[in-house]
Amino acid sequence: VIFRQLFDAETWTYTYLLGDPDGGGAVLIDPVLEQVDRDLQVLADLKLSLKEVLETHIHADHVTAASVLREKTGAKVSVSRHGAKEADRHLKDGDVVEAGAVRVKVLETPGHTADSLCFRLHDRVFTGDTMLLRRTGRSDFQNGDPGALYDSVTGKLFSLSEDTLVYPAHDYQGRMMSTIEEEKRLSTVVGKTREEFIAFMNAIDKPKPTRFDVAVPANLHLGKKS
Ligand SMILES: [Fe+2]
């Protein structure tokens, strides 16, 4: 499978491209509106045609390119069953999204937001903002729930095999990836009971993301400008 990690410097967002080298089908995970031209060029360069756009959740820090990419390529947009209503498909735990040889397995991992998903492909997992590197995403807006986040990370993600590669939606220190083994030793969930983690998360006092008031309303409609 063709794999590319793409970066948006304005919002520190990683977008992931997964492609079938034989059939030519491709999946984009978490594309950013401002990077549509770049992403279409990469697809063209690699002779791939976009079949599926996946969202790990309704983002609060950037506007998704999902609806623009759907218009331009005819790709289907798949999101959580708790995500944007206008998606082509609403995903639940255990679902599989396919583009030729690319088979992505869906994990429902609520906590960062109510609609948070992780996606598995072979030896790697795309963790959105559920699990970032050495810590989790925040859980203080969009129906975030620190207890659910603890369960998603320690129950679902930590049960993956330890050599699974971890690709998050962001890393603000320029680290690109990790493994389940590293996060099981070094994540902020480690060494805390569920109650301790809830208290730890509730004590974090962070401002809302800069683009929150633009990004969330747009992303509820897959990034369409109203
Ligand atoms: Fe997020």
Side-chain angles (χ1 to χ4, degrees), residues 57 59-60 112 129:
H57 62 295
H59 299 276
H112 168 59
D129 288 354

Side-chain angles (χ1 to χ4, degrees), residues 4-217:
R4 294 294 159 96
Q5 183 174 28
L6 302 157
F7 181 59
D8 177 61
E10 280 289 309
T11 63
W12 296 79
T13 301
Y14 293 126
T15 295
Y16 297 99
L17 169 65
L18 317 173
D20 174 358
D22 300 318
V27 176
L28 273 175
I29 299 175
D30 289 341
V32 173
L33 183 60
E34 287 78 7
Q35 301 292 350
V36 164
D37 292 342
R38 177 201 64 190
D39 294 353
L40 291 173
Q41 188 61 53
V42 174
L43 286 159
D45 291 348
L46 300 176
K47 299 181 182 147
L48 294 170
S49 69
L50 187 64
K51 300 293 184 206
E52 294 279 350
V53 175
L54 300 179
E55 294 288 325
T56 54
H57 62 295
I58 294 168
H59 299 276
D61 56 354
H62 69 268
V63 176
T64 174
S67 93
V68 174
L69 287 168
R70 176 163 68 180
E71 277 163 35
K72 288 186 184 260
T73 68
K76 299 266 178 288
V77 177
S78 298
V79 306
S80 161
R81 59 195 168 125
H82 305 296
K85 297 280 171 288
E86 292 146 46
D88 298 288
R89 185 175 173 194
H90 290 95
L91 301 169
K92 61 177 191 317
D93 207 64
D95 282 348
V96 173
V97 176
E98 284 180 294
V102 179
R103 294 186 86 245
V104 179
K105 213 179 148 197
V106 176
L107 302 169
E108 283 191 301
T109 52
H112 168 59
T113 61
D115 74 320
S116 285
L117 302 176
C118 295
F119 300 116
R120 261 190 83 190
L121 176 80
H122 306 303
D123 60 347
R124 56 201 64 198
V125 62
F126 303 95
T127 55
D129 288 354
T130 299
M131 190 167 74
L132 301 173
L133 306 189
R134 311 301 187 246
R135 65 182 180 91
T136 67
R138 60 199 290 179
S139 55
D140 56 339
F141 53 61
Q142 292 177 281
N143 301 315
D145 177 336
L149 183 56
Y150 184 89
D151 297 339
S152 291
V153 172
T154 61
K156 276 200 178 147
L157 295 175
F158 284 0
S159 68
L160 299 175
S161 90
E162 293 203 338
D163 56 2
T164 305
L165 307 177
V166 171
Y167 287 94
H170 310 279
D171 185 76
Y172 302 95
Q173 296 174 49
R175 295 169 296 197
M176 326 243 327
M177 58 160 302
S178 175
T179 65
I180 292 293
E181 185 276 331
E182 283 171 56
E183 297 311 314
K184 274 171 117 168
R185 283 189 290 118
L186 302 166
S187 176
T188 46
V189 295
V190 178
K192 294 183 182 72
T193 64
R194 193 175 192 273
E195 283 61 41
E196 285 166 350
F197 182 73
I198 292 169
F200 166 78
M201 292 301 281
N202 286 339
I204 296 174
D205 186 19
K206 268 202 206 175
K208 273 198 300 188
T210 340
R211 301 189 184 191
F212 188 93
D213 296 325
V214 175
V216 172

